[in-house]
Amino acid sequence: MIRLGSVIAQFEADFMTQFRHRLSFEQLRALSAMRDCRSPASPMMQLQCEGCDQQKLVPHSCGHRLCPHCQHHESQQWLERQMLRLVPADYFLLTFTLPAELRGLAAAHAEVVFDCLMRRAWETVHRFSRNDRQLQGTPGAIAVLHTHSRRLDFHPHVHLVVPAAAIDAAKQRWRRKRRGKNGTYLFNEKAMAKVFRAKMLAAIEAAGIRLPACYPREWVAHCKSVGSGEKALIYLGRYLYRGVIREQDLLACDNGRVSFRYRNAKTGKVEKRALAGVDFLWLILQHVLPRGFRRARNFGFLHANCKRLIGLLQRLLKFDPSRFTPPRKERPAMLCSCCGAVMAIVRTRIRSTSPGGVVVPPAVGVAS
């Protein structure tokens, strides 16, 4: 399997010559982190065998959210938290997409435009829910920002997992959409796209960002039924903390080019894309988010502050969310090469202090 770190190491010099003036501090930081992830250049962890006191040094992972190696455990934790917030209702996956003509603004003003994208998508859903005859209240939503297409092109859009239900706080009522002959219907896609467009344009102008001379009159919003919601959450959680490409999808890195595979969203077929190594690195680094930006957010009655409310709803409606617990992938234990016993981490973040390599201090106690 081709490692992303080795691809970065191979093309970094040429990439910096060509793209250095276009890179932000966060992009430079991401490039360095992914290059050194779990390599001898990264800080080390000291392990000690619980059976024979054998010691070993292993490199740290970088922990960057764009790195395909890292934060699998964080993704699992996020998914488990969202599963506990499920309610008895039909769920929908709503997608709001930024038009191609505004992607330049998103790249230049990422923090502002991405924040507007998530907030205005939620405001659109909130407005439709309050005006809906069957709901007439505040909905809930789990929103996740994606910045890439399956081909890894810059393509900002936000997904919202929304139950067809709402809470009327004034009347203390819980309402759900009724199922018709053709299943449950949520909101009209074209109408949502118009409202979302108006809200986004107004927000961008209010932020002092100049709009381009031309942009489309018709925007895109999709609304798809996803049953009880757990499969949609698993889909979003799969890509939340694992970068934009899996290393299993890197096919070749030779003759100055990198090729990778992806699944065409329209045909469902696996296709191949190949491009110059420096262009591949730029393709990856376009998706570095601003520092501290939260790409996963909860709104309405699914907000983190509404745990007691969700718990009350689940008890009153006799709904047990634990039946939707996702399959858990445990972290594999690190075993001693001498006796096969489990090795415990006793020190972390050990850095080299001499040209000869890492100096290991004596272990005292076990790190928390």
Side-chain angles (χ1 to χ4, degrees), residues 24-42:
S24 67
F25 172 78
E26 286 304 315
Q27 288 172 322
L28 289 170
R29 180 173 171 269
L31 187 72
S32 175
M34 292 187 292
R35 180 197 62 216
D36 295 340
C37 183
R38 302 190 188 186
S39 74
S42 67

Side-chain angles (χ1 to χ4, degrees), residues 97-134:
T97 303
L98 195 68
E101 291 82 356
L102 298 183
R103 291 174 193 166
L105 291 184
H109 308 278
E111 188 167 6
V112 174
V113 176
F114 289 166
D115 185 68
C116 287
L117 183 59
M118 300 190 75
R119 292 182 183 276
R120 303 313 171 241
W122 158 245
E123 289 175 3
T124 300
V125 174
H126 192 186
R127 173 175 169 178
F128 273 75
S129 179
R130 295 191 66 85
N131 293 337
D132 187 89
R133 291 182 179 180
Q134 295 186 39

Side-chain angles (χ1 to χ4, degrees), residues 75-76 78-79 144 232-242:
S75 179
Q76 180 75 28
W78 177 86
L79 182 57
V144 175
L233 290 174
I234 291 172
Y235 165 74
L236 294 179
R238 186 181 303 151
Y239 302 103
L240 186 57
Y241 295 104
R242 300 189 185 184

Side-chain angles (χ1 to χ4, degrees), residues 191-207:
M192 282 196 300
K194 288 181 180 179
V195 173
F196 173 66
R197 175 185 183 273
K199 288 181 176 294
M200 274 298 297
L201 294 178
I204 291 173
E205 288 188 321

Side-chain angles (χ1 to χ4, degrees), residues 65 78 81-82 85 110-123 139-146 158-163 233 236 240-241 289-305:
R65 56 183 170 178
W78 177 86
R81 290 196 300 271
Q82 306 315 313
R85 295 188 175 105
E111 188 167 6
V112 174
V113 176
F114 289 166
D115 185 68
C116 287
L117 183 59
M118 300 190 75
R119 292 182 183 276
R120 303 313 171 241
W122 158 245
E123 289 175 3
I142 300 167
V144 175
L145 173 74
H146 284 174
V158 61
H159 295 294
L160 291 92
V161 179
V162 180
L233 290 174
L236 294 179
L240 186 57
Y241 295 104
L289 294 175
R291 185 176 180 84
F293 186 88
R294 293 185 299 114
R295 62 177 299 187
R297 305 181 187 183
N298 292 64
F299 295 101
F301 68 77
L302 292 179
H303 193 274
N305 293 339

